[in-house]
Amino acid sequence: MAEDSASGAPPPAEKPQLSKADFKKELQAAEAACRQLLYVIESWPRFVPACAAPFLREKGADASSAVLVLRGPAKVVSMMSMVCHNAKVDTTADRFRAFIQRLEVVPREILLKDAEGWVASDDVHDQLAKPGAEGSVAVVIAVELSDGTSVHAQAAILGPGLDSDQAERGPWQYVLNDGRAFSLAPPKFNWSGPLRPGRVSQRRPVPESCRANIPDYASNGLPAMEQESPHQNSPPCLNEAQIAKARAVARLGREVLDAAHRAVRPGTTTDELDRVVHDATIDAGSYPAPLNYRNFPKSVCTSVNEVVCHGIPDDRELRDGDIVNVDVSCILDGFYGDLNETFVVGTGASEEVKQLVKCAHDALMLCVEQCKPGARYRDMGDIISDHVRRCGFYVDKTYCGHGVGET
């Protein structure tokens, strides 16, 4: 082995030169490793309050001017993803302890200067240029390629997160396949508008006090009793005792829906609406009927803007000018109650949106006026369609109605 003439020490080993094909392969692996680790971090909403914020305070750093950086080869970053995702621990702080120990705190200006020489550093510059909300934290994952000089990195601005028991119950993931599967990565779809799904929290527990009202599908998602019910083909006429029960659960549903309405405002997540509905429902000893019905993961349906119906509550915050339909269903004393209402969020909605909401409400009221003995179900559809058409809108025919009443 040759020696350095001045010191007598062997010269440093030369880094391998990568072919174009090998460089491309390593770059793809680096991209996947960065993105996967960021997905894991983003799926635990207590990461910032439980991990990042305390670490920055310990280092005496300001989140508005500092960046948390993990740098290493792709194998290390991938290993960190697996460790954090699969850890069998009770708290977010314990889950990310090894990750936090490997982080560096780098001033934002210095990091941006360093990133100028990195491979495909546009993502880092674009992310760090975004104005983060108060309490947000910037995280950069940087993968060193084997040529010894190239670095690929990706960045994320993490919001202040949540500091609650529900936030510890994770990971919060995207829903796939009608609730039968979940993913850390967002789904790919030919979206019809600007709205995108957010991450969904874990199912909320139902206490023992609600046992009498828990349906058969609560455990496996299959509504067997519904499928076998004779009421599928012949709607029943209720006696006085049954009418009293139907009215009781309908009244409860209205109270729960009003509680949700009080929580609708810019900045509120639809997951928070789910919490309000879930808590109000179980506090009454009732069961939230959507929960695990054909694998639906939440206790209420929240449909924002272009979502037609049966939207899944997630971590997206409502914005000024949005509309949100909240669809509440309760089971109490052997009866279903089901009702929904569309609410305008804040004051920024357009006149056309307000007219749409009013048109739908007025169509409902016209039908209610005709709900009397001798009226036919099909007549209700004609009333709705005619009124909506006169308003200049149309009825989405993809979905149809369903019954309420005895379980």
Side-chain angles (χ1 to χ4, degrees):
M1 179 182 294
E3 294 185 349
D4 186 288
S5 59
S7 63
E14 292 185 6
K15 295 291 183 178
Q17 294 294 317
L18 295 175
S19 67
K20 288 184 178 180
D22 288 341
F23 182 82
K24 182 178 180 180
K25 186 176 180 180
E26 278 204 26
L27 185 59
Q28 290 173 339
E31 290 173 351
C34 289
R35 188 65 263 170
Q36 183 64 20
L37 182 50
L38 288 175
Y39 283 152
V40 172
I41 296 168
E42 291 166 344
S43 70
W44 291 88
R46 281 208 75 222
F47 174 79
V48 169
C51 305
F55 180 70
L56 285 167
R57 286 196 296 269
E58 177 187 322
K59 299 298 183 180
D62 183 358
S64 64
S65 58
V67 181
L68 298 181
V69 181
L70 174 71
R71 181 165 173 164
K75 287 185 178 180
V76 170
V77 174
S78 297
M79 179 195 68
M80 193 59 61
S81 294
M82 291 188 289
V83 168
C84 295
H85 182 57
N86 297 322
K88 305 300 182 183
V89 294
D90 295 328
T91 68
T92 303
D94 288 338
R95 178 173 299 279
F96 291 99
R97 191 174 304 282
F99 172 72
I100 290 293
Q101 290 172 350
R102 285 180 170 269
L103 289 178
E104 297 178 72
V105 179
V106 181
R108 189 173 298 224
E109 292 183 1
I110 293 177
L111 180 74
L112 287 173
K113 186 176 180 180
D114 289 344
E116 291 176 0
W118 294 351
V119 180
S121 61
D122 290 347
D123 176 78
V124 174
H125 284 273
D126 292 345
Q127 289 292 331
L128 297 186
K130 294 178 180 178
E134 184 177 354
S136 62
V137 172
V139 176
V140 169
I141 309 299
V143 172
E144 301 166 343
L145 276 60
S146 63
D147 63 3
T149 58
S150 301
V151 176
H152 172 78
Q154 293 185 19
I157 304 297
L158 306 178
L162 301 174
D163 201 2
S164 65
D165 292 340
Q166 183 66 9
E168 284 285 23
R169 298 177 62 243
W172 291 38
Q173 300 184 87
Y174 295 98
V175 175
L176 307 176
N177 197 17
D178 297 326
R180 291 187 289 272
F182 296 85
S183 171
L184 292 175
K188 296 179 180 179
F189 189 75
N190 185 22
W191 309 106
S192 62
L195 190 69
R196 297 292 181 272
R199 293 178 177 84
V200 175
S201 65
Q202 298 289 305
R203 283 175 53 181
R204 291 183 161 83
V206 176
E208 186 68 21
S209 58
C210 299
R211 172 172 289 277
N213 294 304
I214 296 178
D216 59 344
Y217 58 79
S219 60
N220 60 14
L222 300 176
M225 289 182 61
E226 173 194 282
Q227 296 166 355
E228 298 167 1
S229 172
H231 299 160
Q232 290 279 3
N233 300 314
S234 56
C237 291
L238 306 183
N239 59 38
E240 289 188 8
Q242 292 170 321
I243 290 173
K245 291 181 179 181
R247 283 177 170 162
V249 71
R251 186 178 301 110
L252 171 62
R254 180 72 253 182
E255 292 169 355
V256 171
L257 183 56
D258 288 343
H261 186 192
R262 289 192 288 272
V264 172
R265 64 180 65 88
T268 297
T269 65
T270 48
D271 183 82
E272 173 63 11
L273 299 184
D274 180 74
R275 183 198 66 78
V276 170
V277 168
H278 184 88
D279 290 352
T281 303
I282 64 173
D283 285 350
S286 175
Y287 182 86
L291 188 59
N292 210 36
Y293 177 82
R294 300 187 184 275
N295 306 113
F296 190 84
K298 307 306 291 180
S299 298
V300 66
C301 301
T302 53
S303 304
V304 179
N305 297 342
E306 65 262 31
V307 177
V308 177
C309 64
H310 303 158
I312 301 173
D314 58 30
D315 63 356
R316 178 191 181 273
E317 294 182 352
L318 295 172
R319 301 169 186 173
D320 189 38
D322 282 347
I323 56 174
V324 55
N325 180 272
V326 181
D327 189 348
V328 170
S329 306
C330 303
I331 301 175
L332 182 66
D333 203 10
F335 277 74
Y336 282 97
D338 188 309
L339 67 163
N340 71 87
E341 192 166 346
T342 300
F343 306 115
V344 176
V345 181
T347 60
S350 68
E351 286 303 314
E352 183 180 29
V353 166
K354 293 177 183 177
Q355 290 171 13
L356 173 66
V357 174
K358 184 177 186 303
C359 174
H361 177 269
D362 291 348
L364 171 65
M365 292 298 103
L366 290 172
C367 278
V368 170
E369 292 175 5
Q370 299 304 315
C371 287
K372 59 189 69 173
R376 297 176 297 185
Y377 288 119
R378 69 184 188 188
D379 293 339
M380 303 302 142
D382 289 339
I383 292 169
I384 290 172
S385 295
D386 290 345
H387 179 75
V388 169
R389 195 178 300 112
R390 287 195 299 271
C391 292
F393 302 109
Y394 68 92
V395 175
D396 190 309
K397 299 180 180 179
T398 308
Y399 298 90
C400 60
H402 58 83
V404 293
E406 198 165 12
T407 58

